[in-house]
């Protein structure tokens, strides 16, 4: 049995709770543009999304990330998320 405690986070798209390590973190640091946080440790407002295309497509369609971060997000950023999810 491992000593590591399971840290749960909720996907902004499907609303399922999963282990933090299974999700992709998107972060918006103060006074900066949003970015993909592969370390899960960057400072700023964070949101989690499942590492699958269905959740990403749903988040794009419903503009979920734009509402969470209160900012416009371009398609280029969504494609960079897609690249990380698919790899």
């Amino acid at each position: 049995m491992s000593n590591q405690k399971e840290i749960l986070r909720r996907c902004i798209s499907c609303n399922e709770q999963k282990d933090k390590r299974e999700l992709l973190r998107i972060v918006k640091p103060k006074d900066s543009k949003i970015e993909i946080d592969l370390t899960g440790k960057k400072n700023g407002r964070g949101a989690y999304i499942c590492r699958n295309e269905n959740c990403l497509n749903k988040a794009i369609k419903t503009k979920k990330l734009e509402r969470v971060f209160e900012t416009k997000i371009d398609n280029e950023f969504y494609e960079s998320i897609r690249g990380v999810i698919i790899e």
Side-chain angles (χ1 to χ4, degrees), residues 19-76:
D19 187 298
K20 180 180 172 179
R21 291 170 297 231
E22 292 177 34
L23 300 168
L24 181 64
R25 184 170 189 252
I26 312 297
V27 67
K28 183 176 188 300
K30 265 193 183 347
D31 309 322
S32 185
K33 290 175 21 178
I34 67 169
E35 52 194 74
I36 298 168
D37 179 9
L38 296 175
T39 66
K41 294 180 172 132
K42 289 186 180 176
N43 287 329
R45 172 91 170 102
Y48 293 84
I49 189 164
C50 291
R51 290 179 178 262
N52 72 54
E53 259 191 298
N54 292 339
C55 279
L56 176 59
N57 291 336
K58 184 177 174 189
I60 293 169
K61 188 175 175 185
T62 59
K63 296 188 185 316
K64 196 73 173 182
L65 281 172
E66 292 188 9
R67 287 194 308 228
V68 167
F69 294 118
E70 298 173 347
T71 187
K72 180 90 178 91
I73 299 172
D74 58 20
N75 281 339
E76 221 173 274

